[in-house]
């Protein structure tokens, strides 16, 4: 359900004649509170609760751009300091792959796992050496486990998601500093 | 394989089949019209004069305004009007000039596609109506071949009609209309090619100086569409057969307005067509949204959702729709004659043949079943005859397809009542009707006042402009609030379901 | 049109999403920085991060193509009137929801727009281009003092400087040139006679490239430093002949341009003398479009989209029926008590009025960030009534029920305006708000002085 101004009017025209002073309506997408005021009028307070969805093509296309020189990242969407990105989804498309690093990307949408099973040590950590065939993560989709390989020879520079975070297809999961 | 188009019938035939034609208001339609416009339907089966009358009578809404607003909201998809050309809103036949005026106004308001429907297939009348429509500015005119099973309604019969339709310059397309859902895939595999051959042979009249060979240059294959109801579960399969046989468009409906005695479910038809290798150029996401809307609306308004139907072999024989059968059985039970039901059904077949095989679409099932009932109840057959049956034999519903049995016709027409009905004056011309009505009303209002009780039109006008906004998801909340008016003394309310929470409190005055 | 990229933010992004949702058109919203989590991002079907700026036309086009959009809606401000964006969309096969690039250029250059208006037979404010210093002084003498120095590449009330006397002209031109270059990338200036007591009346046009119709007028005279605070439709207290003259002139201009899309022709009106002058044309949807929607029953974004899809106008002029009166208040995150200093921060509470005739267009809710660096509009409160009196009465009640906390807002100022008898009479001119604010400040100063005197008296006594 989505609500428009007309919907709020429809609710109020019925609510006004009832002895209630407050209506609170909540779904997964929004919450609406209508309150009667001393002057007989009403107030509305809305909270949109749905999370933004990143346009799939935008996430993969924007991520391919590399930044010239120095590893600097453009403002407003680069690689955050120190580890996992809050809020889920992998690195949003606004981030460019930093200079000298290669991205390991989720081959499918699903849940990112750092270890082969709960409680086991993670596949890799920051600083781990990897070969192209080294399994660095698992993406779990619909209860099926898909191994993700490093794809390059090098050292893990940064792991971008926390264990068990959701990842979109194509989202960068970690940076590998490729061996020269 | 072929590229198949869809004609959506949710708003008219779906509404009529499943919801008594009264389920949809202006607000219900306008809310989804812009989305329907973008699906890529070839046309929307939108209204008929019956539906226009229901707007006025049941919803107190202006049907002309509904057409205008819908056309504005859906400017890219042609809106279709269906009618016989003999009557407008009321059951009485009207003067042809009144029909001409109605067609003019319909075109101005935004209707561009018109179906000429005469279940009796009186081709003279059909061609006359088509010409009227062309003159009124209709952009696409469709002639209907109404399908039924009977001794006279053979493939040759329909092919002959198709030939006449092909030759008529005022007819652009033809569709097979199967209101009872009788057309099996097997029957379609002979009927459709027979019809298409004749549609493909349309040769416009050659002039005296034209060489005979130029006939081939004027060949004008008129496309064929299929409109078949799901009454006994055949239509979804027949549609697929039709696609293989070169039918250009299939009539479907969406969500809860599909299946049952309505048209097949568009989403399922599209998926099946693609499975068979055909292409359907529509926006799947928006089609799903339209289907979801009608399903949500049905839930919100407590209207029945169409369900896929079971095959009933006996239906091909008696062709009496479920509703009419139920009513007839109930009437017999009330008279303590429930055991005569089988006899009545047998009598139905006899009466149908004697009356010249009317196609069992409203109002003919009622007329035929009613007469069958009278024949079983009376001391002799045709002792009692209804006014409608008399009018039918008098040709007031159109010229019967096959001749009425002469003895039966004689029996019916020699009744005193028949003489009264014969002497009924012909329908009044618009000029005469205008004189009887208030001066200086618009043509649109005149057309309503000329065919409906004044009180109903007055009530519609008094109700003011129709609402244009509707949210099916919110309806349960609004119903709840409206219902609370009848429950004084409640100090609060909480409804808590997964994904939904509603609280009402007395609140603190600020 | 299946999918639209909305290249904007804030309340207009929400506005466009709302109509697209009703039409079944998918929306992808460009987001920069913190806007990624803002309300518009949560309402759109998807977001396309574009770095840090909404002013990069190439980034907008790239985002549109990457997201599979077939059209771009530029909103207002940012690139809404950028011929470059319009041309880049054309080149990329994207529909630009707005006028043609040529039309954007024709009216975007305010000086060229004056010439076009004159060519179309419209009266313009006496004025002309600024050439050399000597020419400028001569021109100013000709058109009469005081004069207004305007940036040819400006518009929307930006880049204006009043000059009262000849001695100040040179310095004013020098400063204005530098500012225009910096703000608009175009240093050209023009002069206009400064009409001190006029009304700002604008006419809403809708065209399809061949036909142009008028959707009524609006009065936007309540301005502070040429920025609109409050608008209403229709413009009150205009003589019928004058009103129809203004509307006719606007339509004539639209026809002269072969205008396509939504556009607004702004006029300076001397209601007493019955004169009006063309000021400029805005080739975009405007902030104050809701007051026109309120009295016409139309959805202007839907009309924009319909025209952009290539259809002819769905309405004839006769189909446009205006009824009632609507007033819009722009509630900004500014502190009127501190010289309208912007008040960025985080909204902690956002409670708005609701009820018959009340509409709120906003992108903020409790928790919304109000970043510095963008315009300060938080919400538009639009109130409609069957006439101006009812609209005003409803407005007073509605403003009293606005509770926005966490940032300073102009809501209280609007409430004071709604209670002011001069505003209540209607027809206030462009100098009204300055006078009103001065009166308020004077009252505050007088109160302050009285307090100090009383304190001093008390101190002397004590």
């Amino acid at each position: 359900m989505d609500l428009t101004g007309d919907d709020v009017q429809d609710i109020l025209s019925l609510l006004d004649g009832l002895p209630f002073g407050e209506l609170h309506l909540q779904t997964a997408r929004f919450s609406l509170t209508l309150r009667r005021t001393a002057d007989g009028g009403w107030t509305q307070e809305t909270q949109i609760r749905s999370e933004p969805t990143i346009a799939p093509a935008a996430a993969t296309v924007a991520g391919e751009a590399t930044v010239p020189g120095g590893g600097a990242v453009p403002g407003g969407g680069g690689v955050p300091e120190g580890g996992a990105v809050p809020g889920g989804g992998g690195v949003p498309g606004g981030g460019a792959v930093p200079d000298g690093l290669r991205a390991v990307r989720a081959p499918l949408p699903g849940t990112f796992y750092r270890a082969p099973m709960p409680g086991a040590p993670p596949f890799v950590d920051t600083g781990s050496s990897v070969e192209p065939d080294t399994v660095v993560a698992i993406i779990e989709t619909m209860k099926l486990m898909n191994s993700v390989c490093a794809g390059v020879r090098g050292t893990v520079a940064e792991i971008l998601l926390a264990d068990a975070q959701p990842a979109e297809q194509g989202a960068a999961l970690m940076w590998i500093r490729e061996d020269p | 394989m072929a590229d198949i188009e869809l004609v959506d019938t949710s708003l008219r035939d779906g509404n009529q089949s499943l919801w008594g034609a009264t389920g949809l208001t202006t607000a219900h339609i306008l809310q989804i019209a812009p989305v329907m416009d973008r699906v890529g339907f070839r046309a929307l089966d939108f209204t008929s004069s019956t539906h226009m009358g229901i707007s006025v009578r049941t919803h107190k809404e202006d049907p002309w305004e509904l057409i205008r607003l819908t056309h504005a909201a859906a400017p890219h998809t042609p809106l279709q009007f269906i009618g016989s050309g003999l009557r407008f809103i009321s059951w009485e036949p009207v003067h042809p000039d009144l029909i001409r005026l109605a067609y003019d106004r319909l075109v101005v308001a935004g209707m561009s596609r018109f179906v000429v429907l005469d279940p009796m297939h009186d081709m003279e009348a059909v061609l006359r109506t088509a010409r009227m429509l062309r003159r009124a500015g209709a952009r696409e005119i469709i002639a209907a071949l109404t399908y039924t099973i009977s001794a006279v309604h053979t493939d040759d019969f329909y092919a002959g009609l198709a030939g006449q339709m092909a030759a008529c310059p005022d007819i652009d397309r033809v569709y097979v209309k199967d209101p009872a859902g009788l057309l099996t895939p097997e029957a379609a595999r002979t009927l459709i090619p027979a019809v298409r051959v004749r549609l493909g042979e349309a040769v416009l009249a050659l002039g005296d100086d034209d060489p005979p060979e130029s006939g081939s240059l004027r060949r004008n294959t008129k496309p064929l569409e299929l409109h078949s109801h799901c009454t006994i579960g055949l239509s979804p399969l027949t549609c697929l057969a039709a696609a293989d046989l070169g039918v250009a468009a299939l009539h479907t409906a969406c969500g809860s307005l599909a299946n049952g005695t309505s048209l097949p479910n568009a989403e399922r038809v599209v998926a099946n067509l693609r499975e068979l290798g055909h292409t359907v150029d529509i926006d799947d996401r928006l089609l799903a949204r339209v289907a979801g809307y009608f399903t949500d609306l049905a839930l919100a308004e407590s209207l029945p959702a169409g369900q896929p139907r079971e095959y009933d072999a006996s239906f091909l024989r008696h062709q009496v729709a479920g509703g009419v059968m139920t009513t007839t059985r109930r009437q017999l039970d009330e008279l303590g004659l429930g055991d005569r039901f089988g006899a009545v059904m047998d009598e139905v077949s006899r009466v149908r043949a004697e009356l010249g095989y009317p196609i069992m679409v409203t109002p003919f099932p009622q007329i035929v079943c009613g007469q069958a009932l009278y024949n079983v109840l009376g001391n002799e057959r045709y002792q009692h005859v209804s006014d409608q049956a008399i009018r039918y034999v008098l040709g007031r519903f159109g010229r019967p397809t096959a001749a009425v049995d002469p003895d039966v016709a004689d029996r019916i027409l020699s009744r005193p009542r028949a003489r009264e009905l014969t002497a009924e004056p012909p329908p009044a011309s618009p000029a005469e009707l205008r004189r009887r009505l208030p001066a200086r009303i618009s043509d649109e209002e005149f057309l309503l006042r000329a065919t409906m009780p004044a009180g109903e039109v007055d009530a519609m006008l008094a109700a003011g402009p129709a609402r244009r906004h509707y949210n099916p998801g919110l309806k349960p909340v609004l119903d709840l609030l409206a219902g609370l008016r009848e429950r004084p003394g409640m100090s609060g309310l909480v409804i808590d379901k997964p994904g939904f929470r509603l609280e009402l409190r007395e609140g603190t005055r600020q | 049109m299946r999918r639209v990229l909305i290249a904007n933010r804030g309340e207009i992004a929400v506005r466009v999403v709302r109509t697209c949702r009703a039409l079944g058109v998918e929306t992808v919203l460009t987001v920069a920085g913190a806007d990624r989590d803002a309300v518009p991002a949560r309402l759109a079907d998807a977001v396309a991060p574009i770095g840090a700026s909404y002013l990069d036309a190439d980034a907008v086009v790239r985002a549109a193509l990457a997201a599979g959009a077939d059209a771009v809606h530029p909103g207002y401000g940012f690139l809404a009137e950028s011929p470059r964006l319009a041309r880049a969309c054309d080149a990329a096969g994207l529909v630009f929801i707005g006028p043609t690039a040529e039309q954007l250029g024709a009216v975007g250059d305010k000086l060229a727009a004056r010439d076009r208006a004159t060519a179309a037979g419209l009266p313009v404010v006496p004025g002309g281009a600024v050439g050399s210093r000597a020419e400028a002084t001569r021109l100013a003498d000709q058109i009469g003092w005081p004069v207004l120095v305007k940036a040819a590449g400006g518009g929307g009330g930006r880049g204006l400087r009043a000059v009262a006397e000849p001695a100040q002209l040179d310095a004013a031109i020098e400063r204005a040139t530098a500012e225009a270059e910096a703000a608009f990338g175009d240093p050209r200036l023009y002069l206009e006679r400064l009409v001190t007591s006029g009304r700002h009346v604008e006419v809403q046009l809708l065209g399809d490239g061949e036909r142009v119709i008028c959707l009524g007028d609006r009065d936007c005279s309540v301005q502070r430093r040429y920025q609109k605070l409050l608008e209403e439709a229709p413009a009150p207290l205009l003589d019928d002949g004058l009103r129809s003259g203004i509307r006719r002139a606007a339509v004539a201009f639209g026809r002269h341009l072969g205008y396509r899309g939504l556009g607004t022709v702004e006029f300076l009106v001397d209601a007493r003398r019955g004169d009006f002058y063309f000021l400029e044309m805005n080739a975009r949807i405007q902030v104050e479009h809701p007051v026109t929607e309120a009295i016409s029953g139309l959805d202007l974004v839907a009309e924009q989209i319909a025209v952009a899809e290539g259809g002819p106008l769905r309405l004839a002029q006769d189909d446009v029926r205006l009824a009632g009166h609507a007033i819009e208040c722009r509630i900004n995150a500014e502190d009127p008590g501190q010289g309208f200093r912007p008040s960025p921060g985080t909204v902690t509470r956002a409670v708005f009025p609701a009820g018959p005739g009340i509409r709120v267009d906003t992108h903020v809710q409790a928790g919304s960030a109000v970043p510095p660096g963008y315009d300060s509009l938080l919400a538009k409160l639009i109130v409609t009534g069957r006439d101006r009196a009812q609209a005003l009465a409803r407005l007073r009640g509605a403003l009293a029920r606005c509770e926005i906390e966490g940032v300073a807002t102009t809501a209280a100022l609007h409430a004071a305006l709604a209670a002011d008898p001069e505003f209540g009479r209607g027809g206030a001119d462009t100098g009204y708000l300055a006078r009103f604010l001065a009166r308020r400040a004077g009252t505050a100063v007088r109160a302050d002085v009285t307090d100090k005197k009383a304190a001093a008296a008390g101190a002397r006594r004590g």
Side-chain angles (χ1 to χ4, degrees):
Chain A
M1 193 205 316
D2 290 309
L3 287 196
T4 66
D6 285 328
D7 290 324
V8 173
Q9 300 283 30
D10 286 345
I11 293 174
L12 282 179
S13 59
L14 291 168
L15 193 57
D16 202 47
L18 291 172
F20 302 108
E22 186 167 320
L23 175 146
H24 184 73
L25 177 59
Q26 184 162 318
T27 70
R29 291 163 64 86
F30 70 88
S31 74
L32 168 72
T33 303
L34 299 173
R35 283 190 200 91
R36 202 192 298 263
T37 54
D39 65 347
W42 287 88
T43 61
Q44 55 179 324
E45 188 176 3
T46 307
Q47 198 76 14
I48 305 296
R49 309 173 67 208
S50 34
E51 292 295 317
T53 307
I54 305 211
T60 45
V61 168
E64 295 316 319
T66 52
V67 178
V73 170
V79 178
E81 299 293 301
V85 175
V91 175
V97 181
D99 206 31
L101 299 180
R102 298 286 295 275
V104 178
R105 296 191 181 278
L108 293 165
T111 308
F112 167 74
Y113 289 115
R114 293 193 52 191
M117 60 189 74
F123 289 110
V124 292
D125 271 313
T126 319
S128 301
S129 295
V130 295
E131 299 289 321
D133 294 339
T134 309
V135 175
V136 297
I138 282 178
I139 292 287
E140 179 249 311
T141 311
M142 291 167 43
K143 309 281 187 264
L144 300 175
M145 306 296 165
N146 304 281
S147 321
V148 183
C149 296
V152 293
R153 191 161 193 270
T155 318
V156 175
E158 187 165 350
I159 299 174
L160 302 169
L161 272 78
D163 195 48
Q165 254 199 300
E168 297 187 352
Q169 187 170 24
L173 305 173
M174 55 186 75
W175 307 128
I176 311 278
R177 189 169 304 283
E178 193 174 4
D179 283 351
Chain B
M1 297 263 82
D3 186 54
I4 309 289
E5 292 185 294
L6 298 184
V7 172
D8 181 78
T9 64
S10 311
L11 300 176
R12 199 228 24 115
D13 216 344
N15 180 17
Q16 182 167 325
S17 302
L18 300 180
W19 298 347
T22 59
L24 296 177
T25 63
T26 300
H28 296 152
I29 294 171
L30 289 184
Q31 190 68 31
I32 198 64
V35 181
M36 292 182 85
D37 191 40
R38 288 159 189 282
V39 173
F41 294 123
R42 183 184 174 78
L44 301 183
D45 173 25
F46 184 67
T47 195
S48 65
S49 71
T50 304
H51 282 254
M52 293 176 72
I54 286 172
S55 275
V56 176
R57 184 180 320 120
T58 310
H59 302 309
K60 298 189 174 51
E61 295 177 342
D62 183 343
W64 301 102
E65 189 70 357
L66 172 58
I67 294 171
R68 265 191 291 277
L69 291 171
T70 306
H71 178 58
H76 307 110
T77 309
L79 299 181
Q80 172 185 296
F81 181 93
I82 185 168
S84 62
L86 298 177
R87 41 177 215 85
F88 188 74
I89 298 183
S90 82
W91 281 108
E92 311 301 318
V94 292
H95 194 284
D97 285 344
L98 198 78
I99 297 287
R100 277 189 190 94
L101 180 63
Y103 287 160
D104 286 343
R105 299 315 308 172
L106 286 168
V107 169
V108 167
M111 307 300 301
S112 56
R113 184 171 132 133
F114 289 78
V115 169
V116 183
L117 172 66
D118 174 18
M120 313 279 220
H121 302 114
D122 175 352
M123 282 308 295
E124 252 180 65
V126 168
L127 298 181
R128 216 171 25 238
T129 303
R131 194 168 322 121
M132 264 201 259
L133 284 166
R134 187 69 86 200
R135 294 233 174 89
R139 247 183 277 138
E140 190 168 65
I141 300 170
I142 325 277
L145 292 168
T146 307
Y147 180 74
T148 188
I149 297 173
S150 86
V152 302
H153 292 88
T154 61
D155 285 355
D156 281 343
F157 172 76
Y158 286 115
L161 296 173
Q164 296 180 63
M165 293 169 179
C168 171
D170 300 319
I171 291 172
D172 301 304
R173 297 194 150 208
V174 173
Y175 82 166
V176 172
K177 184 173 177 63
D178 178 18
L182 300 166
L183 184 62
T184 64
E186 295 76 33
R189 288 196 188 102
T190 58
L191 173 67
I192 288 174
V195 164
R196 285 198 72 229
V197 157
R198 299 305 299 273
L199 291 179
E201 286 175 357
V203 175
L204 302 177
L206 295 175
D208 289 339
D209 299 327
D210 294 331
E213 307 82 70
S214 68
S216 63
L217 296 173
R218 295 170 189 260
R219 207 156 292 235
N220 181 21
T221 304
K222 298 195 180 176
L224 183 66
E225 302 183 356
L226 176 63
H227 174 108
S228 175
H229 289 241
C230 296
T231 313
I232 49 173
L234 292 171
S235 171
L237 297 171
T238 307
C239 278
L240 296 182
D244 285 338
L245 296 165
V247 163
L250 298 170
H251 292 217
T252 55
C254 292
S256 289
L257 280 168
N259 283 314
T261 52
S262 174
L263 284 295
N265 176 11
E267 289 177 287
R268 173 50 47 202
V269 168
V270 169
N272 289 344
L273 286 170
R274 289 181 179 149
E275 180 69 24
L276 296 182
H278 302 292
T279 54
V280 188
D281 184 14
I282 53 114
D283 186 321
D284 295 288
R285 182 185 67 94
L286 293 181
L287 181 62
R289 181 158 154 185
V290 173
Y293 175 80
F294 287 123
T295 301
D296 290 344
L297 189 156
L299 279 170
E301 304 294 326
S302 301
L303 290 165
Q307 301 298 327
R309 301 275 285 210
E310 291 181 324
Y311 179 65
D312 172 5
S314 73
F315 187 66
L316 296 174
R317 174 176 46 82
H318 61 68
Q319 297 173 40
V320 176
V324 179
M325 275 231 267
T326 315
T327 310
T328 309
R329 192 190 280 276
R330 181 171 46 79
Q331 287 166 336
L332 284 172
D333 285 343
E334 282 166 12
L335 295 167
L337 297 167
D339 58 331
R340 312 292 294 278
F341 181 71
V344 171
M345 286 297 114
D346 289 339
E347 184 63 16
V348 163
S349 306
R350 256 184 101 182
V351 168
R352 187 172 177 237
E354 285 164 349
L355 292 183
Y357 295 106
I359 291 178
M360 297 297 263
V361 59
T362 305
F364 305 118
Q366 287 86 343
I367 296 174
V368 169
C369 286
Q371 191 58 52
L373 190 65
Y374 291 167
N375 286 357
V376 166
L377 296 176
N379 293 327
E380 42 177 79
R381 303 178 73 241
Y382 295 99
Q383 180 186 11
H384 310 289
V385 181
S386 66
D387 279 1
Q388 280 91 329
I390 297 173
R391 285 209 181 91
Y392 170 84
V393 174
L394 285 172
R396 296 282 163 78
F397 291 101
R399 188 157 46 92
T401 307
V404 176
D405 182 291
D407 293 327
V408 170
D410 199 49
R411 253 334 286 261
I412 292 179
L413 294 177
S414 58
R415 306 167 70 83
R417 181 69 183 139
R419 278 196 287 280
E420 281 172 23
L421 293 178
T422 313
E424 269 178 341
S429 71
E432 286 164 352
L433 289 165
R434 276 264 184 199
R435 277 194 283 275
R436 306 180 201 164
L437 291 170
R440 276 194 294 277
I441 55 176
S442 67
D443 283 340
E444 291 176 354
E445 189 180 336
F446 162 68
L447 283 163
L448 296 179
R449 289 193 180 280
T451 55
M452 301 189 73
E456 286 175 356
V457 182
D458 291 337
M460 182 267 288
L461 292 171
R467 278 180 57 100
R468 301 183 187 183
H469 163 77
Y470 176 73
N471 185 339
L474 189 67
K475 183 73 170 30
V477 173
L478 297 178
D479 285 344
L480 174 74
L481 293 175
L484 287 176
R485 278 200 292 247
E486 321 300 324
R487 311 265 302 268
M490 288 190 71
S491 62
L493 175 79
V494 175
I495 295 176
D496 205 343
K497 307 190 296 184
F500 179 89
R501 183 182 170 85
L502 175 67
E503 267 186 66
L504 289 166
R505 280 186 249 175
E506 278 178 321
T508 48
R509 294 260 159 164
Q510 297 171 41
Chain C
M1 207 172 281
R2 292 189 163 179
R3 186 177 294 160
V4 170
L5 182 92
I6 302 172
N8 214 293
R9 64 178 299 281
E11 69 86 18
I12 193 64
V14 173
R15 174 70 190 86
V16 176
V17 166
R18 190 151 47 79
T19 288
C20 286
R21 181 178 289 166
L23 297 180
V25 176
E26 279 189 317
T27 52
V28 179
L29 177 69
T30 56
V31 292
D35 285 341
R36 175 184 318 214
D37 295 313
V39 164
R42 295 164 185 272
L43 291 173
D45 292 311
V47 299
I50 51 158
S53 167
Y54 290 97
L55 293 170
D56 183 346
D58 294 328
V60 168
V61 171
R62 271 200 308 272
L65 293 172
D70 34 33
V72 172
H73 194 300
Y76 55 64
F78 294 126
L79 296 169
E81 291 171 285
S82 160
R84 186 151 179 281
L85 176 61
R87 275 192 294 269
C89 287
D90 291 344
L94 297 164
V95 171
F96 177 80
I97 301 176
T100 65
E102 287 67 40
Q103 287 160 359
L104 288 174
V107 303
D109 177 338
K110 302 305 172 187
L111 193 49
R114 276 179 52 104
D115 292 337
R116 297 295 292 262
T118 306
L122 275 67
V124 296
V125 181
V130 168
S132 70
R133 295 294 152 78
E135 285 167 2
T137 309
R138 251 200 316 275
L139 176 61
D141 286 339
Q142 216 178 357
I143 65 185
W145 294 89
V147 299
L148 202 50
V149 178
K150 291 182 155 183
R158 294 150 64 221
L160 306 183
R161 180 180 245 95
V163 182
E165 39 179 57
Q168 300 166 341
L169 185 60
D170 277 357
I173 287 180
E174 194 171 318
R175 270 202 299 277
T177 305
E179 284 171 8
E181 173 73 63
F184 314 118
D186 179 355
R188 294 174 308 133
L189 304 174
Y190 63 108
L191 301 183
E192 277 183 354
R193 176 191 301 165
L194 177 58
V195 177
T196 43
S197 170
R199 287 171 57 186
H200 177 133
V201 175
E202 59 187 34
V203 177
Q204 179 69 64
L205 297 181
L206 176 66
D208 61 11
E210 286 181 13
R211 285 171 46 228
V212 174
I213 60 175
C214 150
L215 305 180
D217 48 64
R218 298 186 286 258
D219 190 315
C220 310
S221 304
V222 179
Q223 299 178 8
R224 179 181 171 268
R225 301 196 181 166
Y226 306 105
Q227 295 301 302
K228 300 167 186 172
L229 251 77
L230 186 157
E231 308 97 347
E232 54 186 305
L237 303 182
L238 277 188
D239 175 75
D240 282 349
L242 179 55
R243 187 191 304 278
S244 47
I246 293 169
R247 289 181 181 181
R248 259 200 314 275
V251 171
F253 191 50
R255 288 216 187 101
H256 171 85
L257 296 169
Y259 195 74
R260 183 188 80 194
L262 282 180
T264 299
V265 186
E266 300 191 346
F267 295 93
L268 195 52
V269 175
D270 185 337
R272 256 189 334 236
R273 300 233 288 265
D275 292 334
F276 63 93
Y277 305 100
F278 169 85
L279 277 178
E280 64 181 61
M281 180 171 182
N282 300 312
R284 61 172 190 269
I285 191 168
Q286 294 209 242
V287 175
E288 59 268 26
H289 74 273
V291 292
T292 295
E293 292 186 325
I295 65 168
S296 67
L298 297 172
D299 178 336
L300 293 186
V301 176
E303 297 305 324
Q304 265 187 314
I305 290 176
V307 164
E309 285 179 322
L313 287 183
R314 321 192 266 199
L315 297 162
Q317 187 65 70
D318 291 339
D319 297 325
V320 178
R321 259 158 267 171
L322 308 174
H325 196 96
I327 304 175
E328 172 186 277
C329 293
R330 299 194 192 188
I331 300 178
N332 295 329
E334 293 168 357
D335 191 344
Q338 302 282 331
F340 291 84
R341 185 179 62 192
S343 175
T346 304
V347 173
T348 54
R349 187 168 154 79
V351 174
F352 293 101
I358 296 175
R359 165 177 163 180
V360 177
D361 282 19
T362 185
H363 61 292
V364 304
Q365 60 188 21
S368 290
V370 180
Y374 295 122
D375 73 70
S376 57
L377 181 61
L378 290 174
K380 297 172 344 197
L381 171 60
I382 302 111
V383 178
T384 310
R386 68 173 165 273
D387 51 34
R388 191 170 190 270
Q390 189 186 45
L392 204 47
R394 280 187 173 156
L395 180 64
R396 289 186 200 118
L399 284 165
R401 304 202 293 278
C402 273
E403 298 164 34
I404 307 172
E405 293 165 15
V407 296
T409 78
T410 53
L413 171 63
H414 284 292
L417 283 167
D420 182 44
E422 188 177 346
F423 181 74
R425 284 193 287 278
D429 68 357
T430 51
Y432 162 70
L433 184 63
R435 291 194 302 274
F436 175 84
L437 291 171
R439 254 186 288 134
R440 260 183 31 131
T443 314
V445 166
R446 278 196 296 280
D448 190 42
V449 166
T450 309
D451 288 343
K452 284 192 174 132
K453 278 185 177 164
R460 276 198 300 277
R461 273 201 293 278

